[in-house]
Amino acid sequence: MNLQEQIIAETGVQPEIDPQEEIRKSIDFLKEYLYKNSFLKTFVLGISGGQDSTLAGRLTQMAMEEIRQETNDSDYHFIAVRLPYGNQADEDDANQAIEFIQPDTQIEVDIKAAVDAQVVSLKAVGMTVSDFNKGNIKARQRMITQYAIAGEFSGAVIGTDQASENITGFFTKFGDGAADIVPLFRLDKRQGKQLLQALNAPEELYTKVPTADLEEEKPLISDEDALGVTYEEIDDYLEGKKISNKARTTIEGLWQKTQHKRHQPISIFTDFWK
C-alpha cells in the first residue's frame, strides 16, 4: 500500500458518493450517538458561515428534529453558536448559514474580550504573541466557549472535520480540531458541496472561497493560498485520481508534518513512530 492508498484508507473517502445516502448516514450517526449516550440531550456547534459548519449544522438540526419525533422528548435540541472576534468580516454569510440551518436555539458570544485578556496576560510576563499564535488562541477560545455551553445543557460538541482539512492538518489542535463527534469525516470538500446542493442550500454558501479568518495581518486569506495547493487537487488525491507531482509532494508533506494533530497525547506506551 503506497502513501496515497494509506491516507485514503485512513480518511475513509470514497471516489464517488450518493449525496442523499451520505445525508442519511450522517443523520443516523448523530442520532445513534445520542441514543447510546442517553444522558446527552443537546448538540452544540459553532457556525462560521463556511461550508463545513453550514453542512454540519443543517445535518444536526435534521437529526434533532427526527429524534424529538421518535422519542416525543422535547428536551433534545440543537444550539448553534456564533463566535465572532469583534466584527466578523463575513458576518452576512454566517447569518445566511443560520437562516438555512434553522437551529432550535441560536447564541452569539463575542470572544474578543477573552482572547485579548489572554494576550495581555502573556505580554505581562514578557512574552510576545505572534499574529499566528493569536489566531490559534481565537480558535481554542471558540472551542472553550462551545464546551462551556455544552456543559450547561447536557450536551456534546459537533466538529466540522472533513477529509480535505484532515489530510492537510488545516485546523487548530485543541481548537476547531477538538470535538465529541464529527459527522463529516469521510467526505472531502467537493463531496460536502454535493450534500449542500442536495439539501438546497444557498449556492453562495458552498461556492464561497474557504478561509480560516484567524490572522489579523492576513484577513480572509484563502485556505488554498495558505496551503499552497488547491482543494480540487486535494480532493482528486483523496478520490484516488492522478495529480501533479508538485501537488502530491505538497499534500503528502502536509500530511506528514501535521501527524501530531491527528492522534491522542503521547504516552510511554504510544508507538509514535508509526
Side-chain angles (χ1 to χ4, degrees):
M1 182 180 292
N2 63 33
L3 184 55
Q4 183 178 11
E5 292 169 338
Q6 176 189 331
I7 291 171
I8 291 171
E10 288 191 27
T11 56
V13 175
Q14 298 298 315
E16 294 182 4
I17 63 164
D18 177 336
Q20 293 293 348
E21 182 180 321
E22 295 304 324
I23 289 168
R24 184 73 260 159
K25 192 180 297 183
S26 289
I27 291 171
D28 289 344
F29 173 60
L30 288 162
K31 287 163 57 181
E32 183 180 5
Y33 183 83
L34 292 177
Y35 280 130
K36 288 188 175 181
N37 296 278
S38 57
F39 58 93
L40 295 174
K41 296 290 185 178
T42 307
F43 279 136
V44 177
L45 172 63
I47 305 299
S48 67
Q51 173 185 316
D52 301 331
S53 67
T54 299
L55 177 56
R58 185 60 196 145
L59 293 171
T60 302
Q61 181 61 34
M62 293 169 74
M64 280 303 189
E65 290 169 3
E66 287 191 10
I67 204 168
R68 281 198 298 268
Q69 188 174 38
E70 291 168 4
T71 63
N72 200 29
D73 186 344
S74 61
D75 287 341
Y76 284 108
H77 66 290
F78 169 47
I79 301 175
V81 191
R82 287 280 319 286
L83 294 158
Y85 174 82
N87 295 321
Q88 182 176 337
D90 56 350
E91 182 178 1
D92 289 345
D93 293 334
N95 289 332
Q96 188 176 25
I98 291 287
E99 185 177 346
F100 167 68
I101 293 166
Q102 291 291 298
D104 296 318
T105 304
Q106 178 192 345
I107 298 174
E108 180 169 328
V109 179
D110 189 340
I111 63 166
K112 190 175 191 303
V115 170
D116 289 354
Q118 178 69 78
V119 172
V120 168
S121 67
L122 290 170
K123 288 182 176 179
V125 295
M127 288 187 60
T128 58
V129 179
S130 69
D131 188 40
F132 180 82
N133 193 7
K134 184 178 178 181
N136 283 331
I137 293 171
K138 292 176 187 177
R140 292 182 177 121
Q141 183 58 49
R142 288 187 171 113
M143 194 51 70
I144 288 171
T145 304
Q146 289 174 73
Y147 270 102
I149 294 168
E152 288 298 316
F153 291 97
S154 301
V157 174
I158 300 288
T160 59
D161 188 28
Q162 35 81 1
S164 302
E165 180 180 85
N166 184 277
I167 188 179
T168 56
F170 200 66
F171 56 89
T172 298
K173 192 174 183 179
F174 304 123
D176 52 323
D180 295 306
I181 180 170
V182 284
L184 307 184
F185 193 88
R186 82 195 177 283
L187 302 172
D188 61 31
K189 202 76 168 174
R190 179 186 296 142
Q191 293 167 347
K193 288 180 181 179
Q194 292 174 13
L195 266 64
L196 282 170
Q197 287 175 312
L199 291 166
N200 297 314
E203 185 177 349
E204 50 268 34
L205 289 177
Y206 57 81
T207 58
K208 67 179 287 190
V209 176
T211 66
D213 195 25
L214 292 176
E215 297 178 63
E216 292 163 31
E217 295 173 7
K218 300 176 183 177
L220 293 180
I221 181 174
S222 75
D223 294 359
E224 294 180 336
D225 284 342
L227 290 168
V229 66
T230 68
Y231 277 119
E232 191 77 14
E233 291 167 320
I234 295 168
D235 294 348
D236 281 347
Y237 181 92
L238 285 167
E239 292 171 16
K241 299 173 183 175
K242 295 189 72 172
I243 59 173
S244 70
N245 288 334
K246 180 181 178 183
R248 173 187 291 273
T249 298
T250 300
I251 291 167
E252 294 180 350
L254 287 167
W255 169 266
Q256 292 165 338
K257 180 181 178 181
T258 59
Q259 280 286 34
H260 67 98
K261 293 185 175 185
R262 286 182 289 271
H263 59 62
Q264 294 295 314
I266 297 294
S267 77
I268 197 170
F269 301 108
T270 305
D271 183 0
F272 59 88
W273 296 112
K274 285 187 177 180

